[in-house]
Amino acid sequence: MTGFAQPGAPGASPPRPTRVGLIVPSSNTTMETELPELFARQAAATGHRYTFHSARAALKNVTREELLAMVGKAAECAVAVSDADVDVIAYACLVAVMAQGPGAHAESERLIAEAAAGNGHPAEVVSSAGALVRTLTGMGVGRVAMITPYMRPLTRMVSDYVEGSGIEVLDATSLEVDDNLAVGCLDPGALPGIARRLRLEGAEAVVLSACVQMPSLPAVQAVEDELGLPVVTAATATTHEVLRALGHTPAISGAGRLLAG
């Protein structure tokens, strides 16, 4: 007769990895690549393993109407992803939350936490919107310049949200892409050149990608090294908050000083 080995016995399975739940737009292709890459670097440095488990909410075009419709699916997605008994849930659509007005991340995080707990699987919850403003505040940053892929009205909305958290946006570049799949195909190699054109006088940090879908990870360290300013993205801020929620110390190389530990 065969069976599973008991913990601590010869041949016993190692402790299960930490499970990270993601709620992402249905057209997202970036958070499910950049976050696992960041956590793979964390695992290489610490030996701790992480797995990712996603729920998707419909979003094709980054318009206010579609963003608000996606927000309405957050609790349903939280229930679905909590079925995997995840340890933390990251609500990974920054602009969908920001479209609801300054401070909306707190309510979104509360609703997701309640939905997961009501499903019998309570989990820590962070949102990319909350992670970005809390991370900047925690770094003592009061003035930023940023890059977004959005049309200008949405970029203005994101700027207003950040400023509603007490952080002045000195400059914001809009790349004017509204198709979310197209955003995921933008070349991160272009970001250093775009960042050089930002008005940086007085800036204390650069938000290289104020969007979970715009790829930026390959450029973060290069831009930070060139400009001499901390560089944060929606993905790195979310990663930082997920690690904090888990009580894990960041030890990630090549992604800026925020995650270097």
Side-chain angles (χ1 to χ4, degrees):
M1 182 175 178
T2 61
F4 292 106
Q6 295 299 309
S13 299
R16 77 164 176 85
T18 293
R19 295 176 185 153
V20 180
L22 295 176
I23 299 175
V24 296
S26 57
S27 52
N28 187 276
T29 56
T30 300
M31 283 300 263
E32 290 162 305
T33 54
E34 291 197 347
L35 257 66
E37 170 60 27
L38 288 165
F39 279 88
R41 298 181 196 181
Q42 176 81 6
T46 66
H48 192 94
R49 297 181 301 143
Y50 303 86
T51 59
F52 290 82
H53 313 274
S54 298
R56 314 185 81 78
L59 180 78
K60 293 182 180 180
N61 297 301
V62 189
T63 64
R64 183 177 177 83
E65 292 72 25
E66 287 198 34
L67 291 168
L68 291 174
M70 180 189 163
V71 167
K73 299 292 185 181
E76 179 182 328
C77 288
V79 170
V81 79
S82 71
D83 280 344
D85 194 22
V86 295
D87 300 291
V88 61
I89 298 173
Y91 185 24
C93 188
L94 178 142
V95 74
V97 173
M98 290 187 176
Q100 301 170 79
H105 58 270
E107 179 67 6
S108 292
E109 291 165 357
R110 183 187 67 79
L111 289 173
I112 290 168
E114 287 184 354
N119 193 40
H121 296 288
E124 297 291 327
V125 175
V126 303
S127 66
S128 293
L132 182 62
V133 295
R134 286 190 296 256
T135 295
L136 291 170
T137 299
M139 294 169 68
V141 169
R143 296 180 298 277
V144 300
M146 69 181 186
I147 301 169
T148 88
Y150 311 126
M151 307 302 285
R152 287 175 184 164
L154 278 182
T155 297
R156 181 68 257 170
M157 183 190 67
V158 171
S159 294
D160 289 345
Y161 196 97
V162 171
E163 293 196 326
S165 298
I167 301 162
E168 183 181 0
V169 178
L170 300 174
D171 193 20
T173 293
S174 300
L175 301 185
E176 299 275 307
V177 182
D178 62 359
D179 181 284
N180 208 40
L181 275 177
V183 171
C185 295
L186 292 171
D187 180 11
L191 288 173
I194 297 169
R196 288 184 203 111
R197 297 193 292 272
L198 289 167
R199 296 191 299 275
L200 295 173
E201 184 177 355
E204 297 167 329
V206 173
V207 180
L208 195 64
S209 174
C211 174
V212 297
Q213 174 71 331
M214 187 169 80
S216 58
L217 181 55
V220 170
Q221 193 66 57
V223 172
E224 184 168 289
D225 292 345
E226 178 180 340
L227 299 182
L229 292 169
V231 170
V232 176
T233 72
T236 62
T238 302
T239 298
H240 183 259
E241 282 232 331
V242 167
L243 288 170
R244 283 189 61 189
L246 294 169
H248 298 177
T249 301
I252 297 171
S253 62
R257 69 189 75 175
L258 172 67
L259 297 177

